[in-house]
Amino acid sequence: MEEMTSLLFQRGFKLVRELESNLPNLADQPNMLSKSCDEIVNAFRNAKEGLHLHMMFRQPQESQQQQPQTETSLEGWRRSSNCTHPIMEILQMQLQADRTPPFSRSDVLFAGEGGREAEGSARSKSIGGGELHPMDVSDSGVVSSSQRQRRRKDDGERRTITVAAPRIGNTDIPPEDGYTWRKYGQKEILGSKFPRGYYRCTHQRLYHCPAKKQVQRLDDDPYTFEVTYRGEHTCHMSSTAPSIPPPAAAADITHEMTQIITTQPPPSSSIPVSSWLSMEYLGMRGGGSSGGASGSGSGIVLGGGGAGPSATRTGKDVELPVADMADVMFNSGSSSSNISMDFLFHSNDDKWETGDKQI
DNA sequence: GGAATTTGACCACA
DNA sequence: TGTGGTCAAATTCC
């Protein structure tokens, strides 16, 4: 069984290698790229399941801890094979996302336009849906009339997720989600012990990005944040805008990086890696079908400006290897870039050996 | 000096 | 009218 699983892992690595070598050709073929990524994920998933079964068979008495063991299996294997490649992080993330039982997804509340969260908390009543109030607002978001007006109503869809806060260090820091946010307000909310923080996309002014989020710490669990996203990021549609994964995927990243997320992001969170890597998905997130750049892929430059994803001030300069990888993956196809998957595989080429066999 | 955060006040909505 | 969401001046940080 172990041998078989090892073979499956090796197959995964082989696919990674193949993807790497074919990347220049696939760069402008997102569908093929997606497919390759899916294959890689499937290979590792199969390996994981093999390990899972093996452990169940070998350690039935420890069934309560099967999942963590399974999860650490990949990690352990990765370590034992000296593989420190970031893609392994991604694959592990994906595997964990896939294994999350459906019931936990119910914790993720997706309220569509005008929708309400099913949550019955006192907080949720404040989150009402609605359309953007038509106002005379200039590009910079400043009301042009002399009388100061404030936009209300809503900017469309709300997506609420709950994310665990770090239990060590500064637990006041809202979980990193791959985007950069600027806090523009904080308010005590009736019935809540903790104030609600209001954030907008750092690039709101530069790119008129309407994305906002509210971060509310749960009363009954101070280590859990309820994060409500509003509006879609349009900043990554710019050729100079920072690159970022979509919120849902980003939430997954936070999830996996902290290892303490309590809930799964919406259905989109379980989308295959290929889906959120795909141009289509990025385009969709970036403003829907109206997004001119979506589809061609050329308009989406991941990390093109060098202003890679970082945390807000509180978590400044937090590197996101996933975004970096996406950056490399999508930019490596461009003619001038010398950065390739080698960046990701950097000096660890040797470490891609599995046991005594190099892939 | 620029950007981010804080915080009190303003405004829209239920 | 109360509450949530936003604005913007003041402050802090890098």
Side-chain angles (χ1 to χ4, degrees):
Chain A
M1 176 68 83
E2 283 173 336
E3 196 173 10
M4 185 178 168
T5 304
S6 176
L7 285 172
L8 285 169
F9 273 126
Q10 288 180 32
R11 170 171 162 71
F13 283 116
K14 186 181 177 186
L15 289 170
V16 170
R17 275 294 188 189
E18 288 175 0
L19 175 61
E20 179 196 12
S21 59
N22 290 331
L23 201 56
N25 301 327
L26 294 176
D28 47 359
Q29 298 180 48
N31 289 337
M32 291 297 294
L33 190 58
S34 297
K35 196 176 174 184
S36 297
C37 289
D38 274 344
E39 284 177 3
I40 293 169
V41 169
N42 284 333
F44 282 104
R45 181 186 293 122
N46 290 338
K48 183 200 77 168
E49 285 168 0
L51 278 174
H52 192 174
L53 288 172
H54 177 63
M55 289 191 172
M56 282 179 64
F57 180 75
R58 207 176 59 178
Q59 301 171 315
Q61 72 280 9
E62 295 175 13
S63 59
Q64 295 288 335
Q65 302 170 358
Q66 281 165 11
Q67 291 294 2
Q69 284 183 356
T70 305
E71 222 39 63
T72 54
S73 297
L74 177 56
E75 174 68 15
W77 190 89
R78 184 164 64 97
R79 289 213 183 98
S80 67
S81 60
N82 290 326
C83 175
T84 58
H85 196 283
I87 198 168
M88 291 306 298
E89 307 278 355
I90 297 174
L91 292 166
Q92 199 169 352
M93 290 175 190
Q94 179 66 17
L95 290 173
Q96 178 150 339
D98 288 346
R99 79 167 167 77
T100 305
F103 56 79
S104 69
R105 299 179 194 277
S106 66
D107 290 340
V108 178
L109 304 172
F110 246 97
E113 256 187 36
R116 305 270 177 182
E117 286 90 347
E119 205 178 22
S121 72
R123 283 186 312 280
S124 62
K125 77 180 173 73
S126 69
I127 307 175
E131 58 282 346
L132 189 63
H133 199 55
M135 291 175 67
D136 183 16
V137 179
S138 70
D139 281 348
S140 62
V142 176
V143 178
S144 61
S145 74
S146 59
Q147 182 181 3
R148 193 172 74 165
Q149 291 187 352
R150 291 149 199 266
R151 65 176 80 195
R152 200 61 184 284
K153 292 272 186 167
D154 196 27
D155 4 25
E157 182 180 325
R158 293 166 180 273
R159 302 174 299 280
T160 302
I161 63 173
T162 53
V163 182
R167 291 182 187 253
I168 54 173
N170 189 353
T171 58
D172 292 334
I173 300 175
E176 171 61 28
D177 59 8
Y179 288 99
T180 54
W181 300 97
R182 177 175 180 159
K183 191 173 187 178
Y184 67 90
Q186 176 170 304
K187 195 156 186 74
E188 297 289 339
I189 300 302
L190 202 70
S192 293
K193 287 189 231 170
F194 306 100
R196 175 179 300 166
Y198 297 91
Y199 300 82
R200 63 164 62 103
C201 180
T202 302
H203 311 98
Q204 184 205 36
R205 290 193 173 184
L206 234 56
Y207 307 112
H208 317 307
C209 181
K212 291 176 187 171
K213 78 170 179 181
Q214 299 173 0
V215 177
Q216 173 77 56
R217 190 177 289 219
L218 299 184
D219 292 343
D220 48 0
D221 185 1
Y223 292 106
T224 301
F225 289 103
E226 184 181 85
V227 183
T228 301
Y229 293 93
R230 298 165 58 189
E232 297 292 337
H233 281 275
T234 58
C235 48
H236 55 48
M237 298 303 293
S238 163
S239 61
T240 55
S243 68
I244 48 254
D252 257 2
I253 293 166
T254 303
H255 170 140
E256 303 300 339
M257 292 182 82
T258 61
Q259 297 283 313
I260 50 177
I261 194 167
T262 57
T263 62
Q264 276 297 104
S268 58
S269 73
S270 61
I271 53 173
V273 167
S274 60
S275 296
W276 67 259
L277 279 179
S278 77
M279 301 299 188
E280 290 170 4
Y281 185 73
L282 286 170
M284 179 184 74
R285 303 295 303 185
S289 56
S290 63
S294 66
S296 72
S298 60
I300 298 170
V301 178
L302 292 162
S310 64
T312 51
R313 196 173 189 149
T314 48
K316 210 166 186 174
D317 295 332
V318 174
E319 296 293 337
L320 287 178
V322 174
D324 285 344
M325 178 183 172
D327 183 356
V328 171
M329 288 179 72
F330 283 97
N331 285 319
S332 62
S334 62
S335 56
S336 61
S337 176
N338 287 329
I339 302 172
S340 70
M341 290 290 278
D342 283 338
F343 166 75
L344 298 168
F345 290 74
H346 49 88
S347 58
N348 287 333
D349 267 5
D350 296 341
K351 298 177 180 179
W352 282 87
E353 294 176 6
T354 57
D356 55 353
K357 189 188 288 184
Q358 182 164 12
I359 300 170

